[in-house]
Amino acid sequence: MPLNRRTALIVALVGLFAVSHGVIFIRLAGDAPALLIALARVAIATAVIAPFGLFALSVRPELPTGAMRRAVVASLLGGLFLALHFASWITSLERVSIAESTILVSLTPVWVALIDVATGRGMPNRRLLLAIALCLTGTLVLALDGAQRLDGDLTGLLLAVAGGLFMALYLISGRQARAVLQTSSYATLCYGTAALLLGAAVCALDVEVTGYGWPTYAALLALGLVSQVIGHTSYNWTLATLPPAFVAICLLGEPVLGALLGWLYLAEPVTLPAIGAGLLILTGVAIAIGGELRRT
């Protein structure tokens, strides 16, 4: 039975709040390599969710073989795209400025809209397009406010673009899988695939995984439990009801809440341009939520 839209919107906002804490946990785990942080995030989430996901698969109602096969393939592809998102985006941050990377990876809702058009699902409605425009404008202002340098590294720029595209494909794969699978089953397959791929990358690149202090490992545990288990899984839960473009817009609220949480927890200053950008993004999110509420 499809989720009630109002409930789905509440869950999406809970997911936004949980995901936005990710920047705090990453900062607290600052001495860990980026790939280790990404691996820990999805591996911990897989360990928590897998028992529930496997049980749900064992007691699921009988479904046509073709539908189940397509859902499993979509889940595995979602894991591939999630791993590629983390790998490409994190690598881009090593080659270009945070501003450049943020601008390009935040094109996710645009990619979702373009993919939907290309696959015959049609354009988002005008309200959703306005929300996308406001959020992207705010993201641009936020990124430019933090710009320190513009390297112009073509490889880094392309990796950031790829990061946004892979996030869009991850959300779209989730929409297809969630039409058949329960959230726990989808998350088990998706996060597990991402963990295996990122684990292989960590081994291939000989990334150090031991020797860090307990605060680092505590931060990694919190990142996996809060930002991935609660945050991303909340988003994946709503994909059975809400369009991926809307979920992508919610993701654009992450830098705004992240900045606010940084101010609350770490006393990091928030500039006036950042406040203005935050208002633009939150206005866009509010417009998108209003449009979804009108459809309930």
Side-chain angles (χ1 to χ4, degrees):
M1 180 181 296
L3 291 172
N4 177 277
R5 284 185 175 272
R6 290 182 184 273
T7 302
L9 288 170
I10 293 172
V11 172
L13 293 177
V14 169
L16 171 60
F17 186 72
V19 168
S20 297
H21 276 78
V23 66
I24 304 299
F25 301 135
I26 290 172
R27 180 67 58 85
L28 295 175
D31 58 340
L35 275 179
L36 175 59
I37 292 174
L39 171 60
R41 178 172 183 163
V42 291
I44 290 169
T46 302
V48 171
I49 294 175
F52 304 98
L54 295 175
F55 175 76
L57 282 173
S58 68
V59 299
R60 73 183 189 277
E62 287 299 323
L63 293 168
T65 303
M68 177 56 68
R69 184 185 299 114
R70 287 190 294 272
V72 170
V73 170
S75 300
L76 299 179
L77 285 174
L80 170 64
F81 294 137
L82 182 61
L84 289 173
H85 163 72
F86 279 131
S88 57
W89 175 55
I90 291 170
T91 305
S92 77
L93 289 171
E94 298 174 352
R95 304 183 67 102
V96 300
S97 70
I98 292 176
E100 290 173 304
S101 181
T102 302
I103 292 169
L104 295 174
V105 82
S106 294
L107 293 174
T108 295
V110 176
W111 286 118
V112 170
L114 290 176
I115 292 170
D116 277 351
V117 171
T119 55
R121 288 183 174 271
M123 285 287 290
N125 58 55
R126 292 182 180 180
R127 196 180 187 96
L128 200 55
L129 287 174
L130 174 60
I132 291 172
L134 285 171
C135 287
L136 291 179
T137 301
T139 301
L140 176 61
V141 173
L142 189 65
L144 291 177
D145 177 51
Q148 300 297 321
R149 58 184 177 85
L150 295 178
D151 292 335
D153 184 305
L154 180 58
T155 300
L157 296 174
L158 291 176
L159 285 170
V161 171
L165 175 59
F166 289 135
M167 175 55 72
L169 292 170
Y170 161 63
L171 294 175
I172 290 172
S173 297
R175 171 177 59 191
Q176 181 177 351
R178 285 287 292 113
V180 174
L181 296 176
Q182 293 188 22
T183 306
S184 59
S185 300
Y186 165 66
T188 297
L189 294 171
C190 179
Y191 300 168
T193 300
L196 289 174
L197 293 172
L198 288 168
V202 165
C203 292
L205 298 174
D206 198 23
V207 176
E208 186 64 48
V209 299
T210 60
Y212 305 101
W214 71 263
T216 295
Y217 292 113
L220 293 178
L221 180 62
L223 180 65
L225 294 177
V226 177
S227 299
Q228 195 66 29
V229 172
I230 298 176
H232 266 247
T233 306
S234 294
Y235 287 145
N236 289 326
W237 194 54
T238 65
L239 284 172
T241 299
L242 302 176
F246 173 83
V247 178
I249 288 174
C250 285
L251 285 170
L252 290 181
E254 180 181 350
V256 178
L257 286 182
L260 177 60
L261 293 172
W263 174 68
L264 289 173
Y265 296 152
L266 305 175
E268 293 192 357
V270 180
T271 64
L272 285 177
I275 293 173
L279 290 174
L280 283 171
I281 293 173
L282 293 179
T283 299
V285 172
I287 290 174
I289 290 174
E292 290 299 322
L293 285 174
R294 292 176 63 182
R295 297 173 61 187
T296 58

